[in-house]
Amino acid sequence: MSRPIAMSASRASAAPYSRSRRQVLQWFAAGCGCAVCGAASARLLDFDLSAVEIAPKTWAVLGRTEYFNMDNGGNIVNVAFIEVPDGVVVIDTGPSKRYGDALRALIEKKVPGKPILRVYNTHHHPDHFLGNQAFDTAVIAAPQKVIDNIALEGNGFADNMYRLLGDWMRGTQAVAPGIALQADKESVGGRDFSLWYLAGHTNSDFVIRDDQTGVLFAGDLAFLYRAPTTPHADIMTWRESLQTLSAIDKSLLMPGHGPSDSKDESLVQTADYIDWLHGSISDSVTKGLTMNEAMGVPIPTRFEGLGVVRTEYERSVVHLYPTLEDALFPVIEVTQ
Ligand SMILES: [Zn+2]
């Protein structure tokens, strides 16, 4: 299926983002997120993970569309695992050692007795790889740039997560993948996977497709019903990557955050949001607003259904404002 991402403001405004019944049910399967359950989880430090079968022998473990807090323990991310003929393939490992251990236990429950043959890390953000400790480094694979990013920033991320999540993070250390990938395809345990080396959300965003089921694991290039995060974003490159993802044949897309997506909604929604973000912050820079003033601009109503949109918008102003200011108001050398 090949569909260009055409984003006209009128189309987007006319169709505010709202979830289908199936997507809502997926979220309940991922944990209801109510205050009572959240408090119980925090007391027990138990993620109580559950898996949703999104394709034959393919399970997603869906995180909440929130920011890290003591109630969710950092469980705000999607990870997945696939039973292949000779074992199991895992996509991303979650935010902590505790989460990685819980994920391993869940995999063993769903696919008892089968070895974990491959773990892919989609990118170096802490919610996606800090569970690596629970897996054998020799089977964890990612592009070299992701490995380099983890080596450079991983422990700093872990320290920051300790500050946000306390005991949920106990014992967690950054572990870099043991395998650097560069091939476009690899066969794991009797199953073929296609691999794409993209960028934009970070400087290295790795995308994996199970060629048998057609499920595409897009990492954080795609968000659905959750505002995209931008601490390492290059908006123009991200836009190009969304076009690439749109052109890939797939049966289903698993975004890094939000429910699974059979209609490329996550690509349209993410493109729409980052286009608006870029335009809004550029506009604030051009008008000479301070960063605080830029944080207060109205957010279009069509984005109201995106989780934590105001918070993420404010964070994005901090991330993107200096770069856009440099681009829009370049320093001019004055000679006398
Ligand atoms: Zn990310």
Side-chain angles (χ1 to χ4, degrees):
M1 92 187 58
S2 176
R3 217 165 33 231
I5 304 170
M7 283 315 308
S8 74
S10 59
R11 177 188 161 203
S13 304
Y17 301 121
S18 60
R19 299 176 190 202
S20 69
R21 185 168 178 275
R22 179 182 59 80
Q23 288 163 334
V24 170
L25 289 173
Q26 278 191 11
W27 280 109
F28 276 103
C32 71
C34 71
V36 173
C37 298
S41 297
R43 272 200 305 277
L44 297 168
L45 297 183
D46 179 0
F47 289 109
D48 195 22
L49 297 182
S50 59
V52 181
E53 192 165 8
I54 56 172
K57 305 285 184 186
T58 305
W59 291 271
V61 184
L62 300 168
R64 300 188 199 169
T65 48
E66 302 171 351
Y67 192 61
F68 303 114
N69 63 48
M70 287 299 287
D71 277 349
N72 61 44
N75 179 16
I76 63 162
V77 65
N78 293 340
V79 307
F81 55 95
I82 304 162
E83 182 181 355
V84 298
D86 300 331
V88 179
V89 171
V90 180
I91 293 103
D92 282 338
T93 58
S96 61
K97 178 181 185 298
R98 182 182 299 274
Y99 184 101
D101 288 341
L103 177 61
R104 274 208 77 136
L106 180 63
I107 293 169
E108 181 57 31
K109 203 166 117 190
K110 287 285 177 190
V111 193
K114 278 204 162 182
I116 293 172
L117 301 174
R118 175 66 79 237
V119 176
Y120 293 117
N121 285 161
T122 59
H123 64 298
H124 77 296
H125 282 163
D127 45 333
H128 293 261
F129 83 90
L130 280 175
N132 281 2
Q133 252 174 306
F135 298 88
D136 178 1
T137 315
V139 304
I140 306 176
Q144 185 63 51
K145 252 191 208 174
V146 172
I147 296 172
D148 293 345
N149 288 339
I150 289 173
L152 191 68
E153 297 190 77
N155 279 321
F157 284 148
D159 288 348
N160 197 37
M161 295 281 277
Y162 271 93
R163 281 191 280 274
L164 291 166
L165 300 172
D167 262 0
W168 284 102
M169 296 299 296
R170 198 186 310 148
T172 302
Q173 291 178 332
V175 171
I179 299 170
L181 291 169
Q182 52 183 1
D184 294 337
K185 285 184 180 290
E186 73 165 349
S187 184
V188 182
R191 178 71 56 86
D192 290 338
F193 291 87
S194 293
L195 312 172
W196 285 267
Y197 301 79
L198 303 176
H201 173 67
T202 68
N203 66 3
S204 183
D205 296 294
F206 185 45
V207 172
I208 301 112
R209 184 185 65 195
D210 179 333
D211 289 345
Q212 179 158 318
T213 62
V215 178
L216 187 76
F217 300 91
D220 279 5
L221 287 170
F223 285 70
L224 188 55
Y225 304 116
R226 202 279 188 198
T229 62
T230 59
H232 299 91
D234 177 320
I235 300 291
M236 294 304 137
T237 307
W238 195 341
R239 202 65 173 71
E240 287 166 20
S241 292
L242 289 168
Q243 295 284 3
T244 302
L245 294 181
S246 177
I248 294 172
D249 282 334
K250 58 183 110 45
S251 62
L252 193 71
L253 186 152
M254 197 65 233
H257 300 263
S260 63
D261 172 16
S262 59
K263 298 175 185 166
D264 283 1
E265 284 176 88
S266 56
L267 304 182
V268 174
Q269 205 176 90
T270 303
D272 187 14
Y273 182 80
I274 64 173
D275 279 355
W276 169 75
L277 192 64
H278 185 264
S280 174
I281 299 175
S282 298
D283 192 44
S284 294
V285 170
T286 308
K287 286 177 177 162
L289 301 187
T290 64
M291 280 172 64
N292 270 348
E293 288 168 334
M295 286 178 193
V297 305
I299 293 174
T301 54
R302 68 183 185 278
F303 297 129
E304 280 174 1
L306 308 190
V308 291
V309 67
R310 172 56 67 181
T311 311
E312 286 302 345
Y313 176 68
E314 291 172 359
R315 281 159 41 86
S316 291
V317 170
V318 176
H319 303 145
L320 302 175
Y321 205 93
T323 310
L324 286 170
E325 202 169 31
D326 286 347
L328 293 165
F329 293 111
V331 174
I332 299 169
E333 298 283 343
V334 178
T335 51
Q336 299 196 356

